[in-house]
């Protein structure tokens, strides 16, 4: 009887994080794109990863970051840090922006206009992904 009790496994207490503070960021982050980039060297190709990340607080702060790393995880972490350093505040009045804005860069053109309440976001691709979750619209 005593041997049967000794053979049973005892439950180990759950692991602690050794007093390290758990980081709870007020920002939501979304990975928009991950690319594999190559550098040609004498022995062949060296691969790295490039990540495009958008962070925002869901109200009116949003930032975009691009960075490269040896693996996907480090590229995303670096891009998130860059995005948090480059936050901008978007003016929001009555649930929309106060005036229209247009930006052209290389082959891309982004136009945002104010809209009536309840209209939602009329956009496609990356603009929809980043604005619906980050600026605070509830359309998705």
């Amino acid at each position: 009887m005593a041997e049967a009790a000794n053979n049973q496994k005892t439950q180990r207490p759950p692991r602690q994080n050794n007093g390290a503070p758990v980081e709870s960021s007020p920002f939501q982050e979304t990975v928009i794109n991950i690319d594999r980039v190559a550098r040609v060297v004498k022995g062949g190709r060296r691969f790295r990863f490039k990540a495009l990340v958008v962070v925002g607080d869901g109200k009116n702060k949003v930032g975009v970051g691009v960075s490269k790393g040896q693996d996907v995880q480090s590229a995303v972490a670096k891009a998130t840090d860059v995005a948090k350093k480059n936050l901008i505040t978007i003016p929001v009045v009555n649930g929309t922006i106060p005036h229209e804005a247009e930006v052209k860069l290389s082959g891309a053109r982004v136009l945002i206009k104010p809209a009536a309440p309840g209209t939602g976001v009329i956009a496609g691709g990356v603009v929809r992904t980043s604005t619906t979750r980050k600026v605070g619209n509830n359309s998705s």
Side-chain angles (χ1 to χ4, degrees):
M1 265 321 210
E3 287 181 23
N6 288 339
N7 288 340
Q8 288 182 346
K9 290 186 177 180
T10 58
Q11 289 291 327
R12 178 187 283 179
R15 289 187 180 189
Q16 300 296 321
N17 60 355
N18 296 332
V22 176
E23 183 178 330
S24 63
S25 175
F27 298 109
Q28 305 160 354
E29 60 183 69
T30 303
V31 178
I32 301 295
N33 192 16
I34 295 177
D35 287 330
R36 189 180 76 169
V37 294
R39 181 179 71 213
V40 179
V41 294
K42 184 177 173 182
R45 294 189 201 120
R46 299 280 169 98
F47 294 107
R48 291 177 15 173
F49 295 91
K50 182 173 75 171
L52 171 64
V53 176
V54 175
V55 299
D57 65 350
K59 297 179 186 80
N60 62 352
K61 289 186 189 285
V62 66
V64 179
V66 178
S67 186
K68 287 187 266 190
Q70 292 295 326
D71 57 358
V72 174
Q73 186 175 2
S74 65
V76 170
K78 286 180 184 180
T80 303
D81 291 341
V82 170
K84 287 180 182 177
K85 290 178 186 173
N86 295 320
L87 286 174
I88 61 169
T89 302
I90 298 174
V92 177
V93 177
N94 296 330
T96 186
I97 58 172
H99 56 84
E100 75 176 51
E102 181 178 8
V103 176
K104 294 179 186 177
L105 181 66
S106 304
R109 177 176 158 242
V110 176
L111 170 68
I112 55 175
K113 293 182 177 180
T119 302
V121 175
I122 301 170
V126 174
V127 175
R128 183 172 191 82
T129 303
S130 59
T131 57
T132 54
R133 293 190 191 136
K134 304 303 171 226
V135 177
N137 295 329
N138 295 326
S139 63
S140 66

